[in-house]
Amino acid sequence: MSEIILYYGRETCARVTMTALEQIGLTFDAKSLDLAKGEHRSSVYAAINPNQEVPALVMEGRVFTQNAAILHYLGTRYPAAGLLPKPDLAVGANEPLEHLIWCSSTLHILRRQVLNPPRFTVGDIDDVRAKGLEGWSKVLPRIEQRLSAGPWWYGDTWSIVDVYVNWSLSGLMADWLDLAQRPALLAHQNRLYKHPACIRALAREQEGQNGCTTT
């Protein structure tokens, strides 16, 4: 088997991919990039991932990019790992992919608007952040309602979607959204942080880069 390498940045969405690899049980090399120092913009990394973003997963002689696409590939490539639920009467065949794309195209962008508003404007960042918080006010009740109905996003079944949703709300984002006042979300996080693959991924992430959070 060819070498597996995950390029990641601390506290970025690459944590979700790292958790997926841990859940599958693959042996891989995790290489951290200090985003605060612009290591993801180097010519060396651009040769690996022209998008100059994380994560990038080198696997099976290819480079996989875009978190939702990576996670969907891993979920279908290794179904026994349970990254995504099996389609049944409760879960539509395309639903897990829809949720992964929703995490990457909606939750991830809203997180970015709040925590890194200069990426969206050359003007007033307060307006960008306010718009991001407005977006959260619309999606957070949906998340809270769903996680109040069962321990995981898909009821009794853990999935990588749980990790992606939680990452979107984690770190400084939790303070902006005052998650301390949202018991269902805190209970979900506590369950998640006791999950073996999540524990291993968080520990690995902390072993890596000491740069600042960049989302």
Side-chain angles (χ1 to χ4, degrees):
M1 179 181 293
S2 60
E3 183 180 15
I4 300 174
I5 304 172
L6 174 67
Y7 293 89
Y8 75 100
R10 185 179 176 185
E11 294 190 32
T12 68
C13 68
R15 175 187 298 170
V16 190
T17 299
M18 189 178 293
T19 305
L21 294 172
E22 291 287 357
Q23 175 70 10
I24 296 167
L26 295 173
T27 299
F28 65 99
D29 184 12
K31 294 191 176 183
S32 66
L33 299 175
D34 191 332
L35 305 191
K37 294 180 179 178
E39 290 182 355
H40 59 305
R41 298 191 183 95
S42 70
S43 58
V44 174
Y45 185 62
I48 298 167
N49 182 5
N51 295 326
Q52 297 181 299
E53 298 173 341
V54 292
L57 179 63
V58 179
M59 182 177 175
E60 298 176 346
R62 297 178 54 193
V63 178
F64 296 84
T65 64
Q66 300 301 320
N67 214 24
I70 295 172
L71 296 170
H72 186 258
Y73 171 76
L74 292 175
T76 54
R77 174 73 172 79
Y78 300 96
L83 296 178
L84 300 174
K86 296 179 180 179
D88 56 21
L89 293 177
V91 181
N94 212 41
E95 200 169 343
L97 177 57
E98 291 173 3
H99 291 158
L100 288 175
I101 294 173
W102 177 68
C103 285
S104 65
S105 65
T106 300
L107 301 187
H108 193 150
I109 301 304
L110 291 175
R111 175 186 171 96
R112 200 176 265 172
Q113 281 184 269
V114 176
L115 298 185
N116 197 2
R119 290 190 65 166
F120 294 87
T121 183
V122 293
D124 188 352
I125 65 171
D126 290 339
D127 288 344
V128 175
R129 179 169 284 138
K131 195 65 177 177
L133 291 171
E134 179 185 327
W136 276 114
S137 71
K138 297 175 181 178
V139 300
L140 208 55
R142 172 191 173 186
I143 297 172
E144 194 165 21
Q145 180 181 25
R146 182 151 185 154
L147 293 179
S148 297
W152 304 114
W153 188 258
Y154 295 107
D156 293 329
T157 305
W158 175 94
S159 75
I160 203 63
V161 175
D162 288 285
V163 184
Y164 211 158
V165 169
N166 174 260
W167 170 81
S168 301
L169 305 170
S170 69
L172 295 176
M173 198 67 243
D175 295 331
W176 280 101
L177 299 178
D178 195 16
L179 294 191
Q181 304 304 316
R182 298 180 181 274
L185 300 183
L186 288 179
H188 178 255
Q189 176 175 282
N190 290 335
R191 286 190 294 272
L192 198 63
Y193 286 4
K194 293 176 183 177
H195 190 280
C198 297
I199 292 172
R200 292 194 298 272
L202 285 168
R204 244 174 128 155
E205 180 181 317
Q206 292 302 315
E207 291 172 1
Q209 145 188 1
N210 293 317
C212 67
T213 301
T214 304
T215 58

